[in-house]
């Protein structure tokens, strides 16, 4: 079972989104729930392509606009959440899956 770690940058992203998007008080719990599947299936999310995001994967958070970007480390033993973005934003990580 993989250990899921949330980077400081991702924690700051979530805090920012809570303010800018008026997210509910249970936002952190909702995000944790979205991340639970990564413990058993660390490669669950699609791979990102382009823009320097090669090697990273993403999945959607508790809201379909919320993109959670992560990296699988130590041969699947760890999952590092690197950023949480509003996928509708022009500055969000590109979510074009590789095929």
């Amino acid at each position: 079972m993989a250990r899921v770690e949330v980077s400081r940058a991702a924690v700051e992203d979530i805090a920012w989104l809570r303010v800018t998007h008026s997210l509910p008080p249970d936002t952190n719990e909702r995000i944790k729930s979205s991340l639970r599947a990564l413990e058993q299936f660390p490669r669950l999310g699609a791979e990102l392509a382009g823009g320097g995001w090669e090697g990273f994967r993403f999945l959607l958070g508790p809201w379909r606009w919320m993109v959670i970007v992560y990296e699988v480390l130590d041969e699947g033993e760890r999952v590092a959440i690197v950023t949480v973005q509003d996928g509708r934003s022009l500055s969000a990580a590109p979510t074009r899956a590789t095929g």
Side-chain angles (χ1 to χ4, degrees):
M1 185 155 2
R3 185 175 75 230
V4 178
E5 303 169 356
V6 181
S7 71
R8 179 176 295 156
V11 169
E12 291 171 1
D13 293 338
I14 293 165
W16 177 253
L17 289 170
R18 286 185 71 178
V19 171
T20 60
H21 290 62
S22 301
L23 297 178
D26 67 344
T27 294
N28 289 349
E29 290 306 314
R30 290 183 188 207
I31 292 172
K32 285 179 189 176
S33 179
S34 295
L35 298 176
R36 280 196 189 103
L38 292 176
E39 293 173 346
Q40 290 194 340
F41 306 103
R43 290 178 175 80
L44 176 68
E47 291 182 12
L48 291 171
W53 289 99
E54 294 81 6
F56 291 90
R57 304 179 86 80
F58 80 96
L59 54 88
L60 299 180
W63 296 276
R64 59 184 154 178
W65 54 262
M66 183 177 278
V67 178
I68 300 171
V69 179
Y70 68 97
E71 185 175 19
V72 179
L73 304 168
D74 302 332
E75 298 180 19
E77 294 296 316
R78 290 189 310 140
V79 172
I81 309 303
V82 296
T83 187
V84 179
Q85 299 291 315
D86 182 340
R88 303 169 296 187
S89 169
L90 292 175
S91 63
T95 57
R96 181 174 44 97
T98 60

